[in-house]
Amino acid sequence: MDIANMKKCFEGLRTPFYYYDTVLLARTLDAIRHETDRYEGFHLHYAVKACANPKVLRQIQQAGFGADCVSGGEIRTCLENGFPAGEIVFAGVGKADWEIELALEAGIQYFNVESIPELEVIAEIAQRMGKVANVSFRINPDVGAHTHAHITTGLAENKFGIAKEDMVRVIRIAKQMPSVRFVGLHFHIGSQILRMDDFEALCYRINEMQDELEAEGITDVRNINVGGGLGIDYENPDEHPVPNFKAYFETYARHLKLRPGQRLHFELGRAVVAQCGSLIARCLYVKQTATKQFVIIDAGMTDLIRPALYGAYHCIQNLSSTAPAQTYDVVGPICESSDVFAKDCQLPETKRGDLIAIRSAGAYGETMASRYNCRELPRSYTTEEI
Ligand SMILES: *Cc1c(COP(=O)(O)O)cnc(C)c1O
């Protein structure tokens, strides 16, 4: 992002808002396409929960990617923004009946099923509707990931998925259900993962499971879906605007033993959209207390909750000042002590009215916004719109 340039473009706009750099998004999508095209059967379903902004969704759809949804609302949003139903997969531990009906009605590609009770409900609803539901089972691989404890999902203690000891049993149950078609296996070990050996561990675990299934005579696993989780560089967004997709896809190509004709599905979210989004805010006040200097901005945890929720780091820049740096806590206006974007952060001397950019906010930013304190939801602009 060319900071000096952007200040002029942002000047007349009401803050706070999300700015999506669609040029960078296009570069990112190209990079993914370039890597997946190198391998047979690799396909990306973008994880919509990372960013469901319609302008962003349309660009991802037009680049030819499918969608990974975790709610009926996300399925609706995807259908409204051009995704063919046959390119949508549906995961989540708690699918409601109406969401299952919506998915069957639309004719999505497959459900990622997370428990036997859920399988039974899907089978029953499909039967009642005279449909056959494609199901893939989310198996908990019991593989850890070196990331924040709140965003590991593939350990036995996490709520997600079916225990790997139960895998053969649930597949056998599904195969006896006339309104269900077994189509594959699904995994997702967590998010913001930067160590390729975590994904490598998942590959080895899947290889073991595939061997086990073959030994049991189950040889029709059409899709292997390895979820998402690739991390991004929050510290240096300008040095690493595009994540290392080469290393990521190569890890799977090298270590996962796909069977002939098997398709490998990925569900990246954060790595696709995080770097193209910034939350743009304005400094309302600079407040000096006995021990601290606060920059109080007009964006809060209602616009971007990651720092408050996970203690997440975001690079913060003052777009309006080039004065020597001072030390500030950057905070929002919300009535919560956790409404802090950064503590003891170095910023050029900041004044009321300065434009502040919170970088790498494209993923789990706008989608997690709330109306707490009766605030308006943040607006958004793309490169074409400013
Ligand atoms: C959240 C989620 C993803 C995307 O995770 P990222 O870390 O954003 O890539 C993929 N698959 C499932 C099932 C998810 O819940």
Side-chain angles (χ1 to χ4, degrees), residues 152-185:
T152 67
T153 55
L155 283 172
E157 68 198 47
N158 296 130
K159 71 177 175 180
F160 299 100
I162 291 166
K164 62 186 194 304
E165 294 70 27
D166 295 332
M167 172 178 66
V168 171
R169 189 162 65 93
V170 295
I171 294 173
R172 294 229 160 98
I173 294 172
K175 282 171 172 289
Q176 283 169 359
M177 294 173 154
S179 59
V180 157
R181 185 185 299 119
F182 168 67
V183 299
L185 300 177

Side-chain angles (χ1 to χ4, degrees), residues 47 49 68 70 91 138 186 188 190-192 227-230 267-270 364:
K49 74 177 188 287
D68 160 44
V70 292
R138 177 167 182 174
H186 177 230
H188 176 64
S191 201
Q192 185 52 20
L230 177 63
E267 297 173 334
L268 295 176
R270 186 190 310 271
Y364 307 104

Side-chain angles (χ1 to χ4, degrees), residues 306-376:
R306 300 188 66 257
L309 189 62
Y310 310 125
Y313 172 86
H314 284 266
C315 166
I316 301 181
Q317 293 165 319
N318 183 329
L319 306 185
S320 307
S321 170
T322 50
Q326 297 200 16
T327 304
Y328 298 101
D329 280 13
V330 178
V331 304
I334 312 299
C335 302
E336 294 290 336
S337 298
S338 58
D339 187 25
V340 176
F341 289 108
K343 286 196 166 156
D344 299 320
C345 142
Q346 293 292 113
L347 279 181
E349 187 181 1
T350 300
K351 297 186 304 299
R352 171 172 167 82
D354 285 358
L355 280 166
I356 305 292
I358 304 180
R359 303 289 307 277
S360 314
Y364 307 104
E366 193 182 0
T367 41
M368 284 192 172
S370 81
R371 292 211 50 219
Y372 181 47
N373 285 192
C374 289
R375 282 167 61 84
E376 274 180 27

Side-chain angles (χ1 to χ4, degrees), residues 24 47 102 125 183 216 245 262 308 323 355-356 365:
L24 177 56
L102 173 77
I125 294 176
V183 299
E216 295 282 341
F245 294 116
Q262 242 174 10
L355 280 166
I356 305 292

